[in-house]
Amino acid sequence: MARKERKRIGEVLLEAGLITEEQRKEALEEASRSGMRVGSVFVSRGWITEDDLTEALSSQLNITRVSFKEAPPDRELADLLPVGLVKRYQIIPYRMEGDELVVVMTDPLNVFATDALRRIVTHPVKKAIAPPSEVRNWIREQYGLDSPLTAALEDAGAEPIGLVSTAAEESPDRLIRMAEETPVVRLVNALLAQAVAQRASDIHIEPHENDLRIRIRIDGVLEETAQVPSHLKLPLTSRMKIISGMDIAEKRLPQDGRFRWTEGGSQIDIRASTLPTVYGEKIVLRLLDRAGDIFDLPHLGFTDQVVSGFRDLIHRPFGVILVTGPTGSGKTTTLYASLRQINEVGRNIVTVEDPVEYEIDGLSQVQVAPLIGLDFSTVLRNILRQDPDVIMVGEIRDSETANMAVHAALTGHLVFSTLHTNDAVGAIPRLLDMGIEPYLIRSSLAGVMAQRLVRRICQACKTEVSVPEELDPVIEKLGVKTFFTGVGCGECRETGFSGRVGIGELFRLGPSVRDLINEDASADTILEALRREGYETMREAGIRKAAEGITSLEEVFRVTQDVDL
């Protein structure tokens, strides 16, 4: 008898009346674009609460939903699982029921976590689920966050800074005085120093009703690093806005700013943005190390075949070259590496970006400013009057920009840009959706590369692992048997990973693909044709990299969850 197919989480929430069909479709699109779990999208949009999602997952998976407030975990069981495993997979040994160990998980469907439990725990395991915030708080309380911010937080939290409640008390002068008090300055300095030391790419400062949560993104994954008392919301926010050059009195509208931070001899460019929320302004800082990134195609981590094919593309005299993937997949880095390689005195290279992340000598780089009408299409229209040889458009977001990029390629320009699609072949239907005629795609598109960034295994705690049973058919298809992971140690902060490397897939438009585009073939049909010609998908490239011990199989499947093999 065929196994009954499990309902998707969106369907469960829809049947419960918690979301609408439009919200479900919108969440699916965002999850596909960003790589987030669909349920997380619903919560981040504010359509449902964390408790709503936990209840829905409990119903969907038919597992028990527990509340730590009503029945906290048994602390005597804490040593049953390694700290690194607990933090990586957000798993808590909850209680014993006879000979059975009940574990609370935030993601019970994670087959790699399940396999790790099988290898480590000698007892039969029963899964339960709890809201992620309850699990995070318990882990923080039990194991600590080992954050260097602790002393600065204690100093700032001990002083009555920023206890404001009226508009008069929130005057610019009052905010500036609070922002310049020593404990607040020390707190901001400690936060930036820790983020730089841990090679973070982003800092998220998120206001909630009773506190301010700080998370940093390390190797592509957000980690909670501190919770700041509520009375420090305004002082900390004001301090960040002052050093970023923002209007400290404006709280109703989003703002952008930037500043430079020097730490240990390194200069870090920091781009700041604010977003008004119901509990205050959320601030996100993007950290850009001016000397830390290697803009060289062979060093990005792609296979020799992909690098060789992409290098051939970027030395063409004209055509559109696209790099696709979700936000944070390294597309801009690849474009910069490409431009750096072809940057010569005899070429006029102009870029239009939002924002300009790195400044490269020899390039004319333009920052868009939509608020004054300087958007991608407007800048691109004017760039074509500047006699360019090569044009880089940071992102093709609309039909007008897509049409201008295509026609620029048809008139003898080499055009680089990015798209948000899951795989390389998906760029073709995306361009068609934007209104680009098939014959224009056939004539202008030179090739497409899709990419992701996977975390590198920490060499200090690297160990060989077995393959989860659920993935055996996929692995057998490629004939790879041995894989590795990092178990977690002090050098990698118990994560098992250190640094990132790229994986990608590349196709160039040959006669067979051009014919299929002309026939209005689907992306699946085009992919099948490429596969017959020996095309290797991004997931296959990732699995081979996992077999080489560079990354883990779990990491490959995490970043390619929306990519077909």
Side-chain angles (χ1 to χ4, degrees), residues 111-352:
V111 296
F112 297 98
T114 302
D115 183 64
L117 285 171
R118 289 188 189 129
R119 288 186 282 109
I120 294 172
V121 179
T122 57
H123 300 279
V125 172
K126 177 182 177 182
K127 296 179 182 179
I129 190 171
S133 61
E134 290 190 18
V135 175
R136 285 195 305 268
N137 290 339
W138 191 90
I139 291 175
R140 183 190 306 109
E141 182 184 347
Q142 180 69 29
Y143 301 102
L145 290 174
D146 302 320
S147 170
L149 288 173
T150 303
L153 275 171
E154 289 178 353
D155 289 344
E159 300 190 22
I161 303 168
L163 296 176
V164 298
S165 58
T166 68
E169 290 174 310
E170 292 186 25
S171 66
D173 290 342
R174 167 65 171 158
L175 294 174
I176 290 172
R177 287 198 301 273
M178 288 191 300
E180 292 180 346
E181 294 196 32
T182 301
V184 178
V185 174
R186 190 160 53 238
L187 176 59
V188 170
N189 291 346
L191 172 60
L192 293 172
Q194 175 175 323
V196 171
Q198 295 184 343
R199 300 175 294 101
S201 60
D202 303 87
I203 302 173
H204 291 239
I205 303 172
E206 304 163 322
H208 295 277
E209 184 176 11
N210 299 315
D211 58 22
L212 193 71
R213 183 170 70 166
I214 298 178
R215 296 188 291 173
I216 60 178
R217 189 180 296 278
I218 302 173
D219 294 335
V221 178
L222 277 173
E223 301 178 9
E224 185 168 334
T225 191
Q227 282 189 320
V228 179
S230 59
H231 73 271
L232 292 175
K233 283 183 184 180
L234 272 175
L236 183 57
T237 301
S238 299
R239 179 65 185 169
M240 288 297 187
K241 292 170 73 173
I242 287 174
I243 62 178
S244 302
M246 300 182 193
D247 182 354
I248 194 172
E250 179 58 72
K251 302 181 182 66
R252 299 170 299 172
L253 296 175
Q255 295 188 68
D256 293 307
R258 61 192 311 154
F259 62 97
R260 185 167 294 173
W261 172 265
T262 301
E263 178 69 23
S266 298
Q267 285 191 332
I268 311 296
D269 281 338
I270 300 179
R271 192 175 74 241
S273 67
T274 67
L275 183 69
T277 73
V278 293
Y279 294 119
E281 292 175 281
K282 174 179 178 178
I283 299 177
V284 174
L285 307 178
R286 169 63 60 89
L287 282 60
L288 304 170
D289 190 343
R290 295 172 62 86
D293 291 277
I294 303 175
F295 297 129
D296 190 9
L297 282 175
H299 290 87
L300 297 180
F302 304 119
T303 63
D304 292 341
Q305 181 181 4
V306 169
V307 171
S308 175
F310 197 69
R311 186 182 284 120
D312 290 343
L313 283 177
I314 68 176
H315 284 95
R316 288 172 53 102
F318 61 87
V320 176
I321 300 171
L322 297 175
V323 181
T324 76
T327 301
S329 58
K331 301 186 297 296
T332 302
T333 299
T334 299
L335 290 181
Y336 278 127
S338 304
L339 294 179
R340 183 186 180 191
Q341 187 154 344
I342 62 174
N343 186 15
E344 300 171 353
V345 174
R347 280 196 176 99
N348 178 17
I349 302 177
V350 187
T351 76
V352 48

Side-chain angles (χ1 to χ4, degrees), residues 331-524:
K331 301 186 297 296
T332 302
T333 299
T334 299
L335 290 181
Y336 278 127
S338 304
L339 294 179
R340 183 186 180 191
Q341 187 154 344
I342 62 174
N343 186 15
E344 300 171 353
V345 174
R347 280 196 176 99
N348 178 17
I349 302 177
V350 187
T351 76
V352 48
E353 308 172 58
D354 183 21
V356 175
E357 294 193 5
Y358 293 95
E359 298 173 8
I360 301 178
D361 290 339
L363 272 60
S364 300
Q365 297 174 265
V366 181
Q367 165 80 53
V368 302
L371 292 178
I372 60 172
L374 196 66
D375 55 19
F376 278 109
S377 58
T378 301
V379 177
L380 183 53
R381 188 181 302 112
N382 286 276
I383 284 176
L384 293 173
R385 300 169 186 161
Q386 296 280 313
D387 186 31
D389 298 299
V390 180
I391 302 169
M392 192 269 270
V393 183
E395 181 184 347
I396 293 178
R397 297 177 178 177
D398 52 52
S399 299
E400 185 177 3
T401 305
N403 269 294
M404 295 187 68
V406 165
H407 284 90
L410 292 174
T411 53
H413 303 88
L414 184 62
V415 181
F416 293 87
S417 193
T418 68
L419 274 179
H420 287 289
T421 63
N422 291 332
D423 53 17
V425 176
I428 295 175
R430 181 75 177 117
L431 290 173
L432 291 171
D433 289 342
M434 288 183 168
I436 307 300
E437 296 293 339
Y439 74 91
L440 291 176
I441 298 176
R442 292 177 66 243
S443 303
S444 64
L445 188 61
V448 184
M449 181 165 75
Q451 67 177 75
R452 299 288 191 277
L453 294 176
V454 293
R455 292 179 292 175
R456 290 179 179 270
I457 295 173
C458 172
Q459 296 302 303
C461 58
K462 179 178 175 182
T463 185
E464 188 173 328
V465 295
S466 59
V467 180
E469 296 175 0
E470 294 87 341
L471 301 178
D472 279 347
V474 176
I475 307 307
E476 288 177 2
K477 184 178 180 180
L478 294 179
V480 183
K481 298 296 182 184
T482 304
F483 295 93
F484 302 85
T485 192
V487 295
C489 64
E491 291 192 21
C492 60
R493 298 170 295 103
E494 303 294 344
T495 65
F497 298 96
S498 179
R500 289 192 291 177
V501 65
I503 58 173
E505 61 185 36
L506 170 72
F507 83 86
R508 291 177 284 180
L509 258 69
S512 61
V513 175
R514 287 194 174 93
D515 290 342
L516 288 171
I517 293 175
N518 199 44
E519 297 169 5
D520 197 22
S522 67
D524 289 339

